[in-house]
Amino acid sequence: MKNTALTQVHTDLGAKMVPFAGYNMPVQYVGINAEHDTVRKGVGVFDVSHMGEFILKGEKALNLIQRVTSNDASKLYDGKVQYSCLPNEDGGIVDDLLVYRIDEKTYMLVVNASNIEKDWNWIAKYNTDGVDMKDISDRTSLLAVQGPKAADALQSLTDIDLASMEYYTFKKGTFAGIENVIVSATGYTGAGGFEIYFDNEHAEFIWNEVFKAGEPFGIKPIGLAARDTLRLEMGFCLYGNDIDDTTSPLEAGLGWVTKFNKDFTNSAALQEQKAAGVTRKLIGFEMIDRGIPRHDYQIVDADGNVIGKVTSGTQSPSLQKAIGLGYVKNEFAKEGTEIYILIRDNKVKAKVAKPPFYK
């Protein structure tokens, strides 16, 4: 089990620690609902240092990224971030990721913790032009400071004008007196905020400085359980649940990051799938009757015929109702369609709803 540079800090704060993607991570501190609420209304800090970071550098770095990712990275400019996918050769997804353009010849890819080795090997397989690849995951710490008060809470720590930063852009600068820190207007909560990348050696110092600066704004540490309820209220996909090696980006509603103006892994087959139409779709749904949908529960029609399965589900703290994501046959994917979730052999009524659930 790997630790992040802040594992001891979380333990000292009384966090409940659990194994997650091979790391010892804080799942909650005081409780999911309270932590969720803190991020939706104020500001909270997640240690997400388990995420992976690769640096790709050289004349052909963009070519390699264009070859392995589904989105069009040629549209990036210095300081711009892009959400994308690594399609596999069988119509599924190796991983979803963020692509950061540092300069014309230098990019940072941010990948899911559970897929670091898999993604590295996948990209390396296509690196036939000698692009310089560095895996900096083990020496990089990452804090996600999320919520409507995030900019105010952090502004005293940096001369970067946080409030004016556009969504999915980043700046490199001095943060809490430490140079060469990446501050990115990204996150996985739908509550606004920033993700801050820096070397492990500064982790404890930066953590403490963030909490000092954020104290007047009610800043709190937040665990991964609330990160999951927050992302699910927005309908954001979680790799391993809602997307995986067997799900097509088109089925998953990720057509918007699948650009056919370039040649990428399996692009011809995906283009054929787009033309023919998918047979199943990832949908959002809200429970009408009482019951909490869970990963892998079956979705059935009124007659009890299996039409799909749940990929993510929870009781939404903001909405006070149960919500979920799942794949269903095309004919059941229309908004407002009544479906049923099989919970302990009982058909529990739900309806298809378009994410984000939390507006």
Side-chain angles (χ1 to χ4, degrees):
M1 194 65 61
K2 286 184 172 179
N3 290 323
T4 76
L6 292 163
T7 298
Q8 192 56 51
V9 172
H10 305 311
T11 308
D12 293 347
L13 285 168
K16 182 184 175 192
M17 305 296 284
V18 297
F20 182 82
Y23 286 79
N24 192 16
M25 298 298 287
V27 68
Q28 62 180 46
Y29 297 84
V30 295
I32 298 174
N33 289 358
E35 291 172 33
H36 181 107
D37 210 43
T38 294
V39 176
R40 277 276 173 259
K41 295 175 181 166
V43 56
V45 184
F46 303 82
D47 175 14
V48 282
S49 305
H50 60 319
M51 298 294 281
E53 294 87 11
F54 307 152
I55 301 291
L56 271 54
K57 208 170 185 168
E59 296 286 343
K60 298 288 179 74
L62 177 60
N63 291 14
L64 175 58
I65 290 165
Q66 289 288 69
R67 191 172 174 186
V68 296
T69 65
S70 61
N71 208 339
D72 184 3
S74 72
K75 295 276 192 285
L76 289 169
Y77 49 84
D78 295 359
K80 181 68 180 157
V81 189
Q82 184 181 73
Y83 178 66
S84 196
C85 278
L86 297 172
N88 65 22
E89 284 153 356
D90 311 310
I93 300 169
V94 178
D95 202 3
D96 62 337
L97 74 162
L98 295 181
V99 181
Y100 283 64
R101 175 166 146 156
I102 292 165
D103 61 45
E104 198 184 346
K105 296 175 189 168
T106 315
Y107 295 80
M108 179 170 77
L109 309 185
V110 182
V111 303
N112 285 300
S114 54
N115 290 336
I116 293 171
E117 190 181 352
K118 172 186 164 192
D119 292 359
W120 175 268
N121 292 339
W122 183 260
I123 297 163
K125 182 172 94 164
Y126 288 95
N127 185 14
T128 52
D129 288 324
V131 173
D132 180 31
M133 290 175 58
K134 278 197 179 67
D135 180 357
I136 61 166
S137 310
D138 284 345
R139 60 179 173 88
T140 305
S141 288
L142 173 57
L143 296 183
V145 184
Q146 297 283 292
K149 295 181 184 172
D152 292 337
L154 296 179
Q155 189 56 72
S156 65
L157 296 173
T158 182
D159 52 7
I160 297 167
D161 182 5
L162 299 176
S164 71
M165 281 181 74
E166 288 176 24
Y167 192 43
Y168 269 63
T169 64
F170 71 94
K171 290 198 167 135
K172 217 178 210 191
T174 302
F175 185 88
I178 308 297
E179 289 177 9
N180 218 21
V181 172
I182 286 178
V183 179
S184 174
T186 50
Y188 194 47
T189 64
F194 303 89
E195 293 184 303
I196 305 156
Y197 299 82
F198 46 87
D199 288 338
N200 286 347
E201 62 192 274
H202 305 303
E204 215 166 312
F205 175 76
I206 287 180
W207 174 274
N208 291 333
E209 291 298 299
V210 164
F211 277 88
K212 267 187 240 164
E215 195 177 353
F217 303 93
I219 201 165
K220 296 277 193 306
I222 312 292
L224 293 184
R227 189 171 184 247
D228 196 51
T229 53
L230 288 155
R231 70 94 193 167
L232 194 43
E233 286 184 348
M234 302 313 293
F236 294 154
C237 288
L238 173 64
Y239 193 89
N241 281 41
D242 314 301
I243 50 175
D244 59 31
D245 288 298
T246 68
T247 57
S248 141
L250 303 176
E251 294 172 335
L254 297 176
W256 62 282
V257 298
T258 309
K259 302 290 167 63
F260 296 115
N261 59 342
K262 60 166 201 163
D263 189 24
F264 61 86
T265 317
N266 207 44
S267 55
L270 287 171
Q271 200 156 6
E272 277 174 32
Q273 185 184 51
K274 187 182 181 180
V278 294
T279 56
R280 62 172 188 162
K281 279 183 183 164
L282 184 67
I283 51 124
F285 63 86
E286 295 177 352
M287 299 303 294
I288 294 171
D289 295 337
R290 278 178 70 88
I292 297 180
R294 300 288 182 204
H295 179 66
D296 273 348
Y297 281 10
Q298 287 185 324
I299 304 175
V300 298
D301 64 12
D303 298 324
N305 302 306
V306 177
I307 56 166
K309 70 169 186 175
V310 175
T311 55
S312 289
T314 194
Q315 176 74 12
S316 158
S318 303
L319 305 171
Q320 297 293 299
K321 64 172 139 182
I323 57 172
L325 298 174
Y327 285 92
V328 295
K329 291 176 180 174
N330 246 4
E331 57 267 36
F332 295 93
K334 194 164 179 276
E335 197 172 351
T337 303
E338 276 194 2
I339 55 174
Y340 297 82
I341 313 301
L342 221 46
I343 302 178
R344 289 185 287 280
D345 293 332
N346 294 321
K347 284 190 332 191
V348 185
K349 193 187 284 186
K351 68 167 182 188
V352 176
K354 196 174 187 249
F357 303 102
Y358 179 83
K359 307 287 194 285

